[in-house]
Amino acid sequence: MAEGKPTKPDLAAVRAQIDGIDREIQALITERALFARQVGRAKGKLAAAIDYYRPEREAQVLRRVVDRNDGPLSDDVLVRLFREIMSACLAQQEPLKVGYLGPEGTFSQQAVHKHFGHSAHGLPLASVEEVFDEVASGAADFGVVPVENSSQGTIQSTLDLFLTSPLMICGEVELRVHQYLMSRTGRIEDIERIYSHGLSLAQCKNWLRQHLPLAEKLPVASNAEGARRARNADDAAAIAGESAGRVYGLKVVAGPIEDRGDNTTRFLVIGRAAFPPSGHDRTSLLVSIHDQPGALYRILEPLARHGISMDRIESRPAHGALWQYAFFIEVTGHVEESPLKDALAEIDAFAGDVRVLGSYPVAVP
Ligand SMILES: O=C(O)C(=O)C[C@]1(C(=O)O)C=C[C@@H](O)C=C1
C-alpha cells in the first residue's frame, strides 16, 4: 500500500457495498423467518404464540451473539438487534401478550421491549397486582414486574404478591434507568410540584435537594402517570424516562438526574409455566419457616454443601400467620440440573414449605 495519508473512500462505492450487504441481510432474515416457522411446525400443532415461546433458547441464541462479538458494535446493540429478529420470527404465529405497569412510557414498558422485542403486544395495566391477575387469568401470556433497584433495594410489594400467587418466574430483565425532569414549559423556574413514582423520587434525592429544594414532591402510581399529570399545568413537572415525556408531550428540563450513574432496575418475567435449562440459570425459591429452632439453617446447609451460590435472601412476614416468616432465596442453577436438583431433594425431605417460584435464564445484557 502507498505510504502517507489514507486515501478517502469513494462514497458511491462504499454505499454500493452497503446495498449489497443489506440485500444479503434481508435474504438471510427472510430465510431465518421461514426456518422459525418450520421450528413451529416441528414443535407440533400448537395453538397460541405462548406455545412457541422458548426463553431458554432465546437466551442461548443471544449469549452466542455476545460470544461472537468482536466489535465495533457493542454487545447491547447486537443483542437488541437479534432480540428484535427473534421477536419478529415468533410473532409470525401471533404476538405474545405481555402485561406491565402502565400507562405507556413506563420503565416497565421499556423492560417488556428489551426482553420480548417490539413485536410483542404490551398490555399497560393499572398496578403490579393487576399484572399478576391478568397473567393468572390467561388474559396476558406473560407479565413483567419490577422487583429491585440498584440504589433503592428490593420492591417488597412485588415480592409479597408471590406469597399468594401460583404464578412462576420465567425470566429476568435488567434495565439501566435514566431519569429526566420534564414539564410542559421546559423551564425549571416554573416548577412548584413534581410528580413521580416514590422510588424514582428517591433515586434523584440529591439532585432535587440541590436544584429544587422547595418544590413539592408528589408520589404517584408510576412515572408515566406522573408525566400524564404534569402535562396539565405549567407549574407541574414529572420525573420519568424520556419515553414517558414523549408520550405525554413534555419538554426535558434536565437529565439524566439520577444520583447514581449505574442506576439499574431488575424486573421479573412472570408466567404460568416452567421452562427447561438454558445453561446459565437462576432459581427463585420461596421458603416458609415455622418457628422451629434451626429451620433456616437446615435449608441453607444443603445448598452450601452442594456448592450452590446464593445470590439473595430476603425475609417477609408470611401471609396470614403472626410471627411466621417467608424467605425469598435466589440461587444459581436450574431445578432440573445437579447440583441444585440434589440439594432440593434433600431439603424436600424435611421441609414441607419450599416452593420453587421458577428457574430462568440469567439476564443477557
Ligand atoms: O427455536 C425455537 O424454538 C423457535 O421457535 C425459534 C425462535 C427464534 O427465532 O430463534 C423463536 C421463538 C422462540 O422463543 C425461540 C427461538
Side-chain angles (χ1 to χ4, degrees):
M1 226 169 74
E3 299 244 330
K5 260 186 27 187
T7 50
K8 200 162 131 198
D10 174 58
L11 180 60
V14 174
R15 285 193 175 153
Q17 294 278 353
I18 290 178
D19 287 342
I21 290 170
D22 286 348
R23 262 195 306 277
E24 281 176 50
I25 292 175
Q26 190 175 345
L28 288 172
I29 290 176
T30 304
E31 203 181 329
R32 190 188 192 287
L34 292 170
F35 275 118
R37 279 196 201 183
Q38 282 188 29
V39 173
R41 283 205 296 278
K43 286 176 189 168
K45 200 171 177 323
L46 303 166
I50 191 171
D51 300 325
Y52 295 89
Y53 178 63
R54 294 289 183 271
E56 75 288 359
R57 169 72 183 156
E58 296 202 355
Q60 288 161 351
V61 169
L62 297 177
R63 283 181 203 136
R64 250 176 255 145
V65 167
V66 171
D67 287 347
R68 281 193 299 256
N69 185 28
D70 289 324
L73 297 180
S74 68
D75 291 348
D76 294 16
V77 168
L78 281 177
V79 163
R80 204 162 69 218
L81 292 173
F82 275 85
R83 178 71 84 189
E84 288 300 336
I85 291 173
M86 283 192 287
S87 174
C89 285
L90 178 67
Q92 292 180 103
Q93 319 296 329
E94 160 209 348
L96 283 176
K97 295 189 285 293
V98 186
Y100 67 90
L101 174 66
E104 265 187 66
T106 54
F107 290 115
S108 295
Q109 186 188 30
Q110 285 183 35
V112 170
H113 287 152
K114 180 168 180 192
H115 193 77
F116 289 97
H118 284 72
S119 297
H121 179 66
L123 302 172
L125 300 167
S127 63
V128 171
E129 206 165 355
E130 212 175 299
V131 176
F132 274 75
D133 290 345
E134 293 292 282
V135 178
S137 75
D141 297 318
F142 294 97
V144 171
V145 294
V147 69
E148 151 182 33
N149 174 267
S150 56
S151 44
Q152 303 303 308
T154 303
I155 301 167
Q156 306 286 3
S157 51
T158 299
L159 275 194
D160 285 353
L161 291 169
F162 286 103
L163 294 173
T164 50
S165 165
L167 293 179
M168 315 252 344
I169 300 172
C170 32
E172 61 170 12
V173 194
E174 285 183 4
L175 190 77
R176 283 295 285 274
V177 167
H178 296 299
Q179 304 282 11
Y180 289 80
L181 179 71
M182 297 174 289
S183 72
R184 196 156 89 173
T185 68
R187 288 199 311 253
I188 196 162
E189 55 275 22
D190 294 339
I191 299 173
E192 292 191 357
R193 54 210 157 92
I194 302 170
Y195 295 104
S196 189
H197 191 280
L199 282 174
S200 299
L201 289 169
Q203 286 163 28
C204 306
K205 209 166 57 200
N206 295 342
W207 192 94
L208 289 171
R209 200 183 299 127
Q210 251 180 33
H211 296 89
L212 284 164
L214 300 178
E216 197 182 351
K217 324 289 186 301
L218 297 159
V220 288
S222 74
N223 296 338
E225 172 59 20
R228 202 176 62 79
R229 292 194 190 202
R231 73 174 166 181
N232 295 325
D234 282 352
D235 63 353
I239 292 176
E242 266 185 308
S243 59
R246 274 195 297 278
V247 171
Y248 297 102
L250 300 181
K251 292 184 186 143
V252 172
V253 179
I257 61 164
E258 62 273 14
D259 295 330
R260 293 184 52 130
D262 58 358
N263 192 29
T264 300
T265 297
R266 178 168 170 253
F267 296 82
L268 295 176
V269 180
I270 53 173
R272 297 182 295 275
F275 291 96
S278 75
H280 185 200
D281 301 285
R282 205 190 307 284
T283 293
S284 298
L285 305 168
L286 178 57
V287 179
S288 303
I289 298 282
H290 308 286
D291 49 2
Q292 278 164 13
L296 184 59
Y297 174 78
R298 289 171 70 193
I299 288 176
L300 299 186
E301 190 277 331
L303 293 173
R305 187 161 28 79
H306 284 272
I308 292 155
S309 75
M310 192 172 15
D311 305 323
R312 151 215 286 271
I313 177 161
E314 237 7 277
S315 88
R316 299 294 299 148
H319 204 76
L322 194 60
W323 305 125
Q324 291 200 355
Y325 284 85
F327 289 84
F328 288 91
I329 300 176
E330 281 180 5
V331 293
T332 301
H334 193 287
V335 284
E336 289 174 17
E337 289 180 330
S338 295
L340 185 55
K341 189 177 167 189
D342 312 326
L344 284 177
E346 282 183 35
I347 292 171
D348 261 353
F350 58 79
D353 272 337
V354 178
R355 204 180 119 207
V356 176
L357 292 178
S359 290
Y360 47 91
V362 170
V364 184

